Amino acid sequence: MTTKENQIERDLLSKLADLKYSLRPDIHDRATLEANFREKFQALNRVTLTDGEFQRLLDEIVSPDVFTAAQTLRHRNAFTRDDGTPLNYTLVNIGDWCKNSFEVVSQLRINTDYSHHRYDVILLINGVPVAQIELKTLGINPRRAIEQIVEYKNDPGNGYTRTLLCFVQLFIVSNRTDTWYFANNNARHFSFNADEQFLPIYQYAAPDNAKIGGLDRFADAFLAKCTLGQMISRYMVLVASEQKLLMMRPYQIYAVRNIVECIEKKLGNGYIWHTTGSGKTLTSFKAATLLKANPDIEKCLFVVDRKDLDRQTREEFNRFQEGCVEENTNTGTWNDMVLHTQSFAGILDTVCPKLVAAACQIN
């Protein structure tokens, strides 16, 4: 590692400390990573595991399947203790991700039977590695860091398949001036294509869509503790039909955030305008799933103006989450998410008193 790269890492650690992350220089290998996770797991779930129980827990949750690990991270799970009693647990505080512990580890070395890798910076939420940051010297294209991550993941027996690193949700690469991020995925969604472009990768942006390339500004905008928790819990989509993790684009994140805020604060109606191919369906899907968690909202209603758009939207919604939406042509019967293709004016006459219009796209 060059002096310049060392300095970039030290500056990042200092920035993360300013953002109230706990620096953990004592976590430097697999054993210390697992010991810290055990401590956080037991405190969160108010349980003390025996050594045998903890090893069985690790055997159950560590998975080479990125999609399975992502589901385990986000849901309540079940474990049977040695005495036969059940333990329902979560790996993190899924009710309020901002209330988890946030830690940072640098130069973590993970040795498996076949791989001996060292990782620049790892971010932990409640002891679970959720984001990996790879740094390169000033002037080196961050693409080299992306290639390195792909190479690491292609090694037989690598740490991403055999250790707690299976829970990494996001990769971040930077040479200080240019910073990019992308979602972790299984091999078929995690490679370079024929044009030698790695897709999809993102640069974060401000609300006015101005790119945030510098690592220091990126840390302020994206890596603040609560923001990182929300990026993982609220603005990533697990596409069930493809077993794929999908990160929303920055403008989609701001759109969803504004829709939810507008409704929760009762600020009145509004609209979101996005161009063709910009991901309007995903934006509306994510907004609906977040609004469903609001106890003051009974139904999320989607109104479209023609049947082909109805079919297209319904197929896309069910691609993101199987069985989450169905067509309904009877205004007297509503499910949690409903697509309706009948008279637009008639629908408004029927449901307008209860309808909150988040967005309307007329082509």
Side-chain angles (χ1 to χ4, degrees):
M1 180 180 286
T2 67
T3 302
K4 289 183 179 180
E5 193 170 316
N6 258 321
Q7 187 60 51
I8 294 173
E9 182 177 308
R10 286 195 296 268
D11 291 344
L12 176 60
L13 295 179
S14 177
K15 165 58 72 174
L16 292 171
D18 291 342
L19 293 173
K20 308 304 181 185
Y21 281 78
S22 298
L23 303 184
R24 296 297 304 270
D26 56 310
I27 300 176
H28 50 79
D29 57 16
R30 180 175 180 173
T32 50
L33 180 70
E34 291 178 353
N36 180 64
F37 166 72
R38 180 177 182 174
E39 177 185 336
K40 298 294 191 301
F41 177 91
Q42 293 182 149
L44 176 66
N45 294 284
R46 299 179 182 179
V47 65
T48 300
L49 300 177
T50 66
D51 291 346
E53 287 174 331
F54 180 66
Q55 186 57 54
R56 281 201 300 111
L57 176 71
L58 286 179
D59 291 342
E60 287 187 14
I61 65 174
V62 170
S63 171
D65 188 319
V66 175
F67 191 83
T68 297
Q71 289 182 312
T72 301
L73 179 66
R74 289 165 171 80
H75 297 121
R76 183 168 294 278
N77 309 283
F79 175 75
T80 302
R81 303 196 64 186
D82 287 345
D83 60 5
T85 59
L87 171 64
N88 294 317
Y89 68 88
T90 60
L91 301 183
V92 300
N93 185 338
I94 58 177
D96 189 344
W97 283 62
C98 297
K99 291 183 178 179
N100 287 291
S101 67
F102 290 77
E103 300 167 304
V104 56
V105 176
S106 61
Q107 295 305 308
L108 176 72
R109 180 175 287 281
I110 296 290
N111 294 339
T112 68
D113 295 340
Y114 302 100
S115 299
H116 305 276
H117 294 152
R118 179 178 292 176
Y119 308 91
D120 290 344
V121 177
I122 300 285
L123 303 183
L124 311 179
I125 296 183
N126 206 57
V128 180
V130 296
Q132 176 187 334
I133 306 174
E134 284 298 311
L135 304 170
K136 290 300 173 187
T137 307
L138 291 171
I140 294 181
N141 193 315
R143 175 192 165 91
R144 178 55 202 142
I146 299 174
E147 292 172 340
Q148 181 176 318
I149 291 170
V150 174
E151 291 167 2
Y152 279 10
K153 289 202 65 180
N154 285 336
D155 272 1
N158 65 77
Y160 299 108
T161 61
R162 307 280 289 275
T163 74
L164 288 170
L165 290 182
C166 71
F167 290 105
V168 169
Q169 303 293 288
L170 286 171
F171 293 103
I172 300 163
V173 299
S174 180
N175 63 359
R176 180 180 278 171
T177 58
D178 291 309
T179 304
W180 300 82
Y181 63 98
F182 51 99
N184 191 11
N185 265 301
N186 291 319
R188 67 191 180 102
H189 300 299
F190 200 86
S191 61
F192 291 90
N193 64 17
D195 297 324
E196 291 298 306
Q197 297 294 316
F198 187 80
L199 298 173
I201 60 174
Y202 306 94
Q203 271 194 306
Y204 199 54
D208 63 357
N209 210 35
K211 299 299 182 184
I212 298 176
L215 183 57
D216 198 60
R217 288 187 60 216
F218 176 86
D220 281 327
F222 193 99
L223 297 181
K225 295 193 298 184
C226 197
T227 303
L228 178 65
Q230 290 178 345
M231 289 296 174
I232 293 173
S233 63
R234 296 169 68 92
Y235 303 119
M236 292 188 74
V237 178
L238 274 59
V239 184
S241 63
E242 300 175 39
Q243 300 284 287
K244 178 175 70 174
L245 276 63
L246 184 64
M247 189 72 206
M248 299 184 73
R249 302 181 183 106
Y251 61 82
Q252 292 175 308
I253 292 172
Y254 290 122
V256 170
R257 187 178 295 168
N258 288 338
I259 290 170
V260 173
E261 181 182 10
C262 179
I263 293 174
E264 289 181 342
K265 295 183 178 180
K266 297 179 173 60
L267 300 178
N269 293 331
Y271 68 89
I272 302 297
W273 182 88
H274 282 167
T275 58
T276 300
S278 59
K280 296 182 293 297
T281 305
L282 177 60
T283 299
S284 59
F285 168 80
K286 189 45 118 168
T289 57
L290 294 178
L291 289 171
K292 282 175 59 183
N294 186 331
D296 295 329
I297 296 176
E298 183 179 353
K299 305 292 180 184
C300 289
L301 172 66
F302 288 84
V303 180
V304 296
D305 66 333
R306 60 186 184 274
K307 288 188 176 181
D308 60 338
L309 187 58
D310 166 30
R311 175 188 51 76
Q312 174 187 330
T313 305
R314 182 157 28 91
E315 289 175 353
E316 283 293 293
F317 271 45
N318 285 323
R319 183 173 72 89
F320 299 141
Q321 181 180 327
E322 187 175 355
C324 74
V325 62
E326 63 183 41
E327 181 182 15
N328 192 320
T329 58
N330 181 358
T331 56
T333 304
W334 304 104
N335 292 307
D336 285 342
M337 294 185 195
V338 178
L339 298 179
H340 203 291
T341 58
Q342 301 306 301
S343 166
F344 188 82
I347 292 172
L348 291 183
D349 289 341
T350 304
V351 303
C352 194
K354 297 182 179 179
L355 174 64
V356 179
C360 180
Q361 172 68 22
I362 304 296
N363 292 328

